[in-house]
Amino acid sequence: MITDADDFFTKGCGRCARFDTPDCSTRQWIDGLNNLRRICRDMGLEETVKWAHPTYMHAGRNIAIFGAFRGDFRLSFMNASLLNDTEGVLEPQGPNSRTPGVIRFTDAARVGGVEPVIRAYLRQLMDHAEAGTKPPKAHAEIDMPDELADALDADPELAEAFHALTPGRQRSYMFNLNQARQSTTRVARIEKFRDRIIAGKGAMER
């Protein structure tokens, strides 16, 4: 998987055999993806790579992440529960998502049409990051670490597999991740756990 954001815009994410081929999903949507990148950079966001996708940060907090698929490309807002969706453009990431936080594009030219909205929503989240505002805790049986919530929002395949796990298996990952004191450690553990979650196993299962 890629670690340099430039690679995403020239080759893809590196997660499948279509990486660095004309069939990569990023090739189909490259004009729109480059436009999203321009907007995020113009806003002064820090560009990095997480979960093999371009991720944009501000004041130490994840703000947005890009994704490209065969049928669409997406701008996903992190901590989307803090957003005031005044324009009604946000959709849920998937059927198990509690908070709408994604703008899906099936036409690269549409990015320019909603650029003012994108900028306004990024600004909202940047202001929250500067203020240290925390998203409201969802009333759920399991205490989900922020890093896992971000990973599920950014990775539909992982989200579907995680929500298909039994509550006990979900709790095993929650417990393990919550034992880590540092966010970087939790992110690294999520990367390590991904294949196990996809396979339907708990954190301690072989």
Side-chain angles (χ1 to χ4, degrees):
M1 295 188 294
I2 63 165
T3 57
D4 186 331
D6 286 337
D7 286 341
F8 180 85
F9 297 94
T10 56
K11 302 176 183 178
C13 68
R15 276 186 158 168
C16 75
R18 293 183 289 122
F19 177 63
D20 200 16
T21 72
D23 196 36
C24 176
S25 296
T26 59
R27 300 304 87 208
Q28 178 182 356
W29 308 114
I30 192 58
D31 289 343
L33 291 167
N34 277 327
N35 215 0
L36 289 176
R37 186 187 202 189
R38 173 188 60 78
I39 294 168
C40 288
R41 286 176 157 184
D42 283 353
M43 294 290 293
L45 294 171
E46 174 191 351
E47 183 179 72
T48 185
V49 171
K50 296 187 179 183
W51 308 290
H53 287 78
T55 305
Y56 296 85
M57 302 182 65
H58 184 69
R61 184 181 290 184
N62 296 329
I63 301 296
I65 190 169
F66 299 168
F69 303 87
R70 287 190 182 274
D72 62 66
F73 65 104
R74 304 171 189 180
L75 171 63
S76 299
F77 295 98
M78 305 299 205
N79 295 307
S81 59
L82 293 173
L83 278 174
N84 182 13
D85 184 16
T86 54
E87 303 303 315
V89 298
L90 298 181
E91 303 175 37
Q93 180 73 259
N96 294 307
S97 299
R98 292 190 293 266
T99 304
V102 177
I103 302 179
R104 287 182 175 84
F105 300 92
T106 55
D107 176 5
R110 181 177 171 238
V111 175
V114 295
E115 179 171 344
V117 178
I118 293 171
R119 287 179 176 271
Y121 287 13
L122 291 174
R123 184 71 258 173
Q124 284 187 47
L125 292 177
M126 291 168 72
D127 289 345
H128 283 302
E130 291 170 5
T133 313
K134 294 289 187 181
K137 287 233 179 242
H139 295 290
E141 183 182 342
I142 302 171
D143 185 17
M144 181 178 291
D146 290 341
E147 294 79 5
L148 180 57
D150 286 348
L152 298 181
D153 281 344
D155 188 337
E157 183 183 6
L158 180 64
E160 182 177 355
F162 183 82
H163 290 298
L165 294 175
T166 63
R169 288 190 173 104
Q170 291 181 1
R171 279 192 291 269
S172 72
Y173 289 107
M174 303 290 189
F175 179 80
N176 187 294
L177 294 171
N178 283 326
Q179 297 307 300
R181 294 186 177 182
Q182 296 187 350
S183 177
T184 53
T185 304
R186 290 190 286 273
V187 170
R189 288 186 183 181
I190 291 166
E191 287 283 357
K192 184 180 71 172
F193 285 148
R194 187 179 188 276
D195 288 344
R196 198 174 297 175
I197 294 172
I198 297 295
K201 297 179 178 180
M204 305 306 294
E205 289 184 72
R206 297 293 182 184

